[in-house]
Amino acid sequence: MDNDTPYPRQLALQCAAVFIVLSLAWPYCLLRQQTLPWLESSLLIGALAFLLASLTHQYWWWRVIHAVFAPAVVFFSGLNIAPEWYLAVFASMFLVYRGAIGNQVPLYLSNRETVRALGRLLADTPVGKFIDLGAGTGSVVCALAGTRTDIQVFGVENSYLPWVIGLLRAARLKNCHWTLGSFWQVSLTDYDVVYAFLSPAPMERLWLKAKHEMRPGALFISNSFNVPEVEAADEIEVDDSRKTRLYCYRL
Ligand SMILES: C[S@@+](CC[C@H](N)C(=O)[O-])C[C@H]1O[C@@H](n2cnc3c(N)ncnc32)[C@H](O)[C@@H]1O
């Protein structure tokens, strides 16, 4: 994995909830000569795991995962689904959401309004090379490469299925360079504009990388997620329903 991951912490939280609930519920049921009620116990585990995650200030999506994990395990194990189906679901999720492992960045795409706003921003910016870090299915790079044939546009994506889709879309665009891999392994030295639409999790580390590698005067644009404790040179509010913000940082 190419980033500091919180997985051991999340595993410890879930295990703590399981241990606390079962170490009380099991002896209680034994004393009363009852069988353990798995569904109720799993609901208690979910509630306690949610509480522990909230008390330790985990991101909201981790709290939700903690709340539903144990009840979901009990629920699905009662459905007698063949194990191959779990494997198939896991494999499909891995093909699409590999970026969520390690970086906590799932796949969701920049909308058309944002791509248009980026186009307008770049019209006023001297740019030879543009890169989208975590380029998804190529929605930004392909649109940009199509309209700005004077720019070399690069995209790097580490999830297999989005990468294949982007590869097909980029194939007809001569100025579009599409790579499978991790953006942590890409040097940002050559790029005039670096674009990222990720999540809060990697922003601090990504900013350190940008500061270290990008040239003075180059532009770092983050869609929706600001760099903590760094003031953006400009903030653009996109005219879309989710009021997307583009945070622009000059190196
Ligand atoms: C929120 S999506 C944004 C997609 C695209 N940039 C857009 O704006 O439409 C973020 C993408 O980053 C990818 N990703 C996450 N970590 C990555 C990494 N270390 N290297 C390359 N891509 C990564 C995810 O797989 C996901 O497709």
Side-chain angles (χ1 to χ4, degrees):
M1 269 171 224
D2 43 17
N3 199 359
D4 298 334
T5 63
Y7 299 119
R9 195 181 319 138
Q10 306 306 334
L11 190 63
L13 281 177
Q14 187 66 216
C15 289
V18 172
F19 180 76
I20 293 169
V21 170
L22 292 188
S23 62
L24 294 173
W26 231 317
Y28 177 81
C29 290
L30 272 179
L31 283 176
R32 303 194 62 175
Q33 296 188 329
Q34 292 173 348
T35 49
L36 190 78
W38 279 107
L39 185 61
E40 288 79 354
S41 306
S42 72
L43 290 172
L44 269 178
I45 291 169
L48 182 61
F50 178 83
L51 182 70
L52 294 177
S54 304
L55 290 174
T56 53
H57 306 289
Q58 307 305 314
Y59 286 124
W60 67 265
W61 63 82
W62 277 120
R63 295 183 212 175
V64 174
I65 291 170
H66 280 300
V68 300
F69 184 73
V73 168
V74 171
F75 175 75
F76 283 106
S77 60
L79 294 183
N80 287 327
I81 297 171
E84 299 80 42
W85 283 106
Y86 291 105
L87 186 64
V89 170
F90 175 79
S92 330
M93 300 277 284
F94 182 75
L95 288 177
V96 179
Y97 290 114
R98 184 183 172 210
I101 307 170
N103 292 289
Q104 300 180 69
V105 181
L107 172 70
Y108 32 79
L109 304 176
S110 296
N111 56 31
R112 285 200 187 129
E113 291 88 344
T114 305
V115 176
R116 275 198 285 270
L118 263 178
R120 285 194 293 276
L121 177 63
L122 296 190
D124 302 332
T125 311
V127 44
K129 285 187 174 182
F130 170 99
I131 187 166
D132 183 0
L133 304 179
T137 57
S139 36
V140 173
V141 290
C142 294
L144 198 61
T147 51
R148 290 290 304 266
T149 47
D150 56 319
I151 298 179
Q152 294 302 310
V153 182
F154 295 75
V156 55
E157 171 57 46
N158 75 345
S159 297
Y160 299 107
L161 200 57
W163 172 78
V164 170
I165 296 171
L167 188 69
L168 298 174
R169 293 172 80 182
R172 64 192 166 82
L173 298 159
K174 285 204 172 67
N175 59 331
C176 191
H177 311 271
W178 187 249
T179 310
L180 175 67
S182 171
F183 58 69
W184 297 113
Q185 313 302 328
V186 174
S187 165
L188 305 180
T189 314
D190 289 340
Y191 300 99
D192 307 293
V193 179
V194 172
Y195 174 76
F197 182 23
L198 301 170
S199 82
M203 291 314 295
E204 214 169 312
R205 182 177 169 208
L206 185 56
W207 176 243
L208 289 180
K209 178 175 168 65
K211 272 203 312 188
H212 187 63
E213 295 174 358
M214 287 175 73
R215 287 193 304 259
L219 186 61
F220 175 73
I221 306 170
S222 174
N223 181 338
S224 303
F225 307 106
N226 63 327
V227 179
E229 292 169 37
V230 178
E231 202 179 330
D234 200 4
E235 281 182 32
I236 295 168
E237 190 175 292
V238 177
D239 191 16
D240 61 1
S241 55
R242 64 180 287 265
K243 295 284 163 229
T244 300
R245 287 189 95 76
L246 296 175
Y247 297 91
C248 306
Y249 301 87
R250 277 274 169 216
L251 274 293

Coordinates of all heavy atoms in Angstrom, one line a residue, residues 2 96-101 103-111 132-140 156-159 162 181-184 195-199 223 225, ligand 1:
D2 N 0.4 2.3 -0.7 CA 1.3 3.4 -0.9 C 0.9 4.6 -0.1 O 1.3 5.7 -0.4 CB 1.4 3.7 -2.4 CG 0.1 3.7 -3.0 OD1 -1.0 3.7 -2.4 OD2 0.1 3.6 -4.3
V96 N -12.9 -2.0 -9.6 CA -13.4 -0.6 -9.7 C -12.8 0.3 -8.6 O -12.5 1.4 -8.8 CB -14.9 -0.6 -9.6 CG1 -15.5 0.8 -9.7 CG2 -15.5 -1.4 -10.7
Y97 N -12.7 -0.3 -7.4 CA -12.4 0.6 -6.2 C -11.0 0.3 -5.6 O -10.8 0.6 -4.4 CB -13.4 0.4 -5.1 CG -14.8 1.0 -5.6 CD1 -15.9 0.2 -5.8 CD2 -14.9 2.4 -5.7 CE1 -17.1 0.7 -6.2 CE2 -16.1 2.9 -6.1 CZ -17.2 2.1 -6.3 OH -18.4 2.6 -6.7
R98 N -10.1 -0.1 -6.4 CA -8.7 -0.4 -5.9 C -8.2 0.9 -5.2 O -7.4 0.8 -4.2 CB -7.8 -0.8 -7.0 CG -6.4 -1.2 -6.4 CD -5.5 -1.6 -7.5 NE -4.2 -1.8 -6.9 CZ -3.0 -1.6 -7.5 NH1 -3.1 -1.2 -8.8 NH2 -1.9 -1.7 -6.9
G99 N -8.5 2.1 -5.7 CA -8.0 3.3 -5.2 C -8.4 3.6 -3.8 O -7.8 4.4 -3.1
A100 N -9.5 2.9 -3.4 CA -10.0 3.1 -2.0 C -9.1 2.4 -1.0 O -9.0 2.8 0.2 CB -11.4 2.7 -1.9
I101 N -8.4 1.4 -1.5 CA -7.4 0.7 -0.6 C -6.1 1.4 -0.6 O -5.6 1.7 -1.6 CB -7.2 -0.8 -1.2 CG1 -8.5 -1.5 -1.4 CG2 -6.3 -1.5 -0.2 CD1 -8.3 -2.8 -2.1
N103 N -5.4 4.6 -0.2 CA -5.5 6.0 -0.3 C -6.8 6.5 0.3 O -7.0 7.7 0.4 CB -5.3 6.5 -1.7 CG -3.9 6.3 -2.2 OD1 -3.0 7.0 -1.7 ND2 -3.7 5.4 -3.0
Q104 N -7.8 5.6 0.5 CA -9.1 6.0 0.9 C -9.7 7.0 -0.1 O -10.3 8.0 0.2 CB -9.1 6.7 2.3 CG -8.6 5.8 3.3 CD -8.6 6.4 4.7 OE1 -9.7 6.7 5.2 NE2 -7.4 6.7 5.2
V105 N -9.5 6.7 -1.4 CA -10.1 7.5 -2.5 C -10.9 6.6 -3.4 O -10.4 5.9 -4.3 CB -8.9 8.2 -3.3 CG1 -9.6 9.0 -4.4 CG2 -8.0 9.0 -2.5
P106 N -12.2 6.7 -3.3 CA -13.1 5.8 -4.2 C -13.2 6.5 -5.5 O -12.7 7.7 -5.7 CB -14.4 5.8 -3.4 CG -14.4 7.0 -2.6 CD -13.0 7.4 -2.3
L107 N -13.9 5.9 -6.4 CA -14.2 6.4 -7.7 C -15.5 7.2 -7.7 O -16.5 6.7 -7.4 CB -14.3 5.3 -8.8 CG -14.8 5.7 -10.2 CD1 -13.6 6.5 -10.9 CD2 -15.1 4.5 -11.0
Y108 N -15.4 8.5 -8.0 CA -16.5 9.3 -8.4 C -16.0 10.4 -9.4 O -14.8 10.7 -9.3 CB -17.2 10.0 -7.2 CG -16.4 10.3 -6.1 CD1 -15.6 11.5 -6.1 CD2 -16.3 9.6 -4.9 CE1 -14.7 11.8 -5.0 CE2 -15.4 9.9 -3.9 CZ -14.7 11.0 -3.9 OH -13.9 11.4 -2.9
L109 N -16.8 10.9 -10.3 CA -16.2 11.6 -11.4 C -16.5 13.1 -11.3 O -17.6 13.5 -10.8 CB -16.8 11.1 -12.7 CG -16.6 9.5 -12.9 CD1 -17.3 9.1 -14.2 CD2 -15.1 9.2 -13.0
S110 N -15.6 13.9 -11.9 CA -15.8 15.3 -12.0 C -17.0 15.5 -13.0 O -17.0 14.8 -14.0 CB -14.6 16.0 -12.6 OG -13.5 16.0 -11.7
N111 N -17.9 16.4 -12.7 CA -19.1 16.6 -13.6 C -18.7 17.5 -14.7 O -17.6 18.1 -14.7 CB -20.3 17.0 -12.8 CG -20.0 18.3 -12.0 OD1 -19.2 19.1 -12.4 ND2 -20.7 18.5 -10.9
D132 N -3.9 14.8 -14.5 CA -5.0 14.4 -13.5 C -4.5 13.3 -12.7 O -4.2 12.2 -13.2 CB -6.3 14.1 -14.2 CG -7.4 13.8 -13.3 OD1 -7.2 13.9 -12.1 OD2 -8.5 13.5 -13.8
L133 N -4.3 13.5 -11.4 CA -3.8 12.4 -10.5 C -5.0 11.6 -10.0 O -5.9 12.1 -9.2 CB -3.1 13.0 -9.3 CG -1.9 14.0 -9.6 CD1 -1.3 14.5 -8.3 CD2 -0.8 13.2 -10.4
G134 N -5.1 10.4 -10.3 CA -6.3 9.6 -10.0 C -7.3 10.0 -11.1 O -8.3 10.6 -10.7
A135 N -7.1 9.6 -12.3 CA -7.9 10.1 -13.4 C -9.2 9.4 -13.7 O -9.9 9.8 -14.6 CB -7.0 10.2 -14.7
G136 N -9.5 8.4 -12.9 CA -10.8 7.7 -13.0 C -11.0 7.1 -14.4 O -10.1 6.4 -14.9
T137 N -12.1 7.4 -15.1 CA -12.4 6.9 -16.4 C -11.9 7.9 -17.5 O -12.3 7.7 -18.7 CB -13.9 6.6 -16.6 OG1 -14.6 7.8 -16.3 CG2 -14.3 5.5 -15.6
G138 N -11.2 8.9 -17.1 CA -10.7 9.8 -18.1 C -11.6 11.0 -18.4 O -11.5 11.6 -19.5
S139 N -12.6 11.2 -17.6 CA -13.6 12.2 -17.9 C -13.0 13.6 -18.0 O -13.5 14.4 -18.8 CB -14.8 12.2 -16.9 OG -14.3 11.9 -15.6
V140 N -12.0 13.9 -17.2 CA -11.4 15.2 -17.3 C -10.4 15.2 -18.4 O -10.4 16.1 -19.3 CB -10.7 15.6 -15.9 CG1 -9.9 16.9 -16.1 CG2 -11.7 15.7 -14.8
V156 N -3.2 9.5 -14.7 CA -2.7 8.3 -14.1 C -3.8 7.7 -13.2 O -4.4 8.5 -12.4 CB -1.4 8.5 -13.4 CG1 -1.4 9.6 -12.3 CG2 -0.9 7.2 -12.7
E157 N -4.0 6.4 -13.3 CA -5.1 5.8 -12.6 C -4.7 4.4 -12.1 O -4.0 3.7 -12.8 CB -6.4 5.7 -13.5 CG -7.5 4.9 -12.9 CD -8.1 5.4 -11.6 OE1 -8.3 6.6 -11.4 OE2 -8.2 4.5 -10.7
N158 N -5.0 4.0 -10.9 CA -4.6 2.7 -10.4 C -5.6 1.7 -10.3 O -5.3 0.5 -9.9 CB -3.8 2.9 -9.1 CG -4.7 3.1 -7.9 OD1 -5.8 3.4 -8.0 ND2 -4.1 3.0 -6.7
S159 N -6.9 2.0 -10.6 CA -7.9 1.0 -10.5 C -8.1 0.4 -11.9 O -8.3 1.2 -12.9 CB -9.2 1.5 -10.0 OG -9.1 1.9 -8.7
P162 N -11.7 1.3 -14.3 CA -11.7 2.7 -14.8 C -10.5 3.0 -15.8 O -10.7 3.6 -16.8 CB -11.5 3.5 -13.5 CG -12.0 2.7 -12.4 CD -11.7 1.3 -12.8
G181 N -1.1 3.1 -12.9 CA -0.1 3.1 -11.8 C -0.6 4.1 -10.7 O -1.7 4.7 -10.8
S182 N 0.3 4.2 -9.8 CA 0.0 5.1 -8.6 C 0.6 6.5 -8.8 O 1.7 6.6 -9.2 CB 0.6 4.5 -7.4 OG 0.5 5.4 -6.3
F183 N -0.2 7.5 -8.5 CA 0.3 8.9 -8.7 C 1.5 9.2 -7.7 O 2.2 10.1 -7.9 CB -0.8 9.9 -8.7 CG -1.6 10.0 -7.4 CD1 -1.1 10.4 -6.2 CD2 -2.9 9.6 -7.4 CE1 -1.8 10.4 -5.0 CE2 -3.7 9.6 -6.3 CZ -3.2 10.0 -5.1
W184 N 1.6 8.4 -6.7 CA 2.7 8.6 -5.7 C 4.0 8.3 -6.4 O 5.1 8.8 -6.0 CB 2.5 7.7 -4.5 CG 1.3 8.1 -3.7 CD1 0.2 7.2 -3.5 CD2 1.0 9.3 -3.0 NE1 -0.7 7.9 -2.7 CE2 -0.3 9.1 -2.4 CE3 1.7 10.5 -2.8 CZ2 -0.8 10.1 -1.6 CZ3 1.1 11.5 -2.0 CH2 -0.2 11.3 -1.4
Y195 N -4.0 18.5 -11.4 CA -5.3 18.4 -10.9 C -5.6 17.2 -10.1 O -5.1 16.1 -10.5 CB -6.3 18.5 -12.2 CG -7.8 18.3 -11.8 CD1 -8.5 19.3 -11.3 CD2 -8.4 17.1 -12.1 CE1 -9.8 19.2 -11.0 CE2 -9.8 16.9 -11.8 CZ -10.5 18.0 -11.2 OH -11.8 17.8 -11.0
A196 N -6.3 17.3 -9.0 CA -6.6 16.1 -8.2 C -8.1 16.2 -7.7 O -8.5 17.3 -7.3 CB -5.7 16.0 -7.1
F197 N -8.8 15.1 -7.7 CA -10.1 15.1 -7.1 C -10.1 13.8 -6.3 O -10.4 12.7 -6.9 CB -11.2 15.0 -8.2 CG -12.6 15.0 -7.8 CD1 -13.0 15.4 -6.5 CD2 -13.6 14.5 -8.6 CE1 -14.3 15.4 -6.1 CE2 -15.0 14.5 -8.2 CZ -15.3 14.9 -6.9
L198 N -9.7 13.8 -5.1 CA -9.4 12.6 -4.3 C -10.3 12.5 -3.1 O -11.5 12.1 -3.2 CB -7.9 12.6 -4.0 CG -7.0 12.7 -5.2 CD1 -5.6 12.9 -4.8 CD2 -7.1 11.4 -6.0
S199 N -9.8 12.8 -1.9 CA -10.6 12.8 -0.7 C -9.8 13.5 0.4 O -8.6 13.9 0.1 CB -10.8 11.3 -0.2 OG -9.7 10.8 0.5
N223 N -10.0 19.5 -6.5 CA -11.5 19.6 -6.6 C -12.0 19.2 -5.2 O -11.8 18.0 -4.8 CB -12.0 18.6 -7.7 CG -13.5 18.6 -7.9 OD1 -14.2 19.0 -6.9 ND2 -13.9 18.2 -9.0
F225 N -11.5 19.2 -2.1 CA -10.8 18.9 -0.9 C -9.6 19.9 -0.8 O -8.7 19.8 -1.6 CB -10.3 17.4 -0.8 CG -11.5 16.5 -1.0 CD1 -11.6 15.8 -2.2 CD2 -12.5 16.4 -0.1 CE1 -12.7 15.0 -2.4 CE2 -13.6 15.5 -0.3 CZ -13.7 14.9 -1.5
Ligands
LIG1 C1 -12.7 10.7 -7.1 S1 -12.0 9.8 -8.4 C2 -11.7 11.2 -9.6 C3 -11.6 10.7 -11.0 C4 -11.3 11.8 -12.0 N1 -10.0 12.5 -11.6 C5 -12.4 12.8 -12.2 O1 -12.2 13.9 -11.6 O2 -13.4 12.5 -12.8 C6 -10.4 9.5 -7.8 C7 -9.7 8.4 -8.5 O3 -8.4 8.3 -8.0 C8 -8.0 6.9 -8.1 N2 -6.8 6.7 -7.2 C9 -6.8 6.6 -5.9 N3 -5.6 6.5 -5.4 C10 -4.8 6.4 -6.5 C11 -3.4 6.3 -6.7 N4 -2.5 6.2 -5.6 N5 -2.9 6.4 -7.9 C12 -3.7 6.5 -9.0 N6 -5.0 6.6 -8.9 C13 -5.6 6.6 -7.6 C14 -9.2 6.2 -7.8 O4 -9.2 4.8 -8.2 C15 -10.3 7.0 -8.4 O5 -10.5 6.5 -9.7

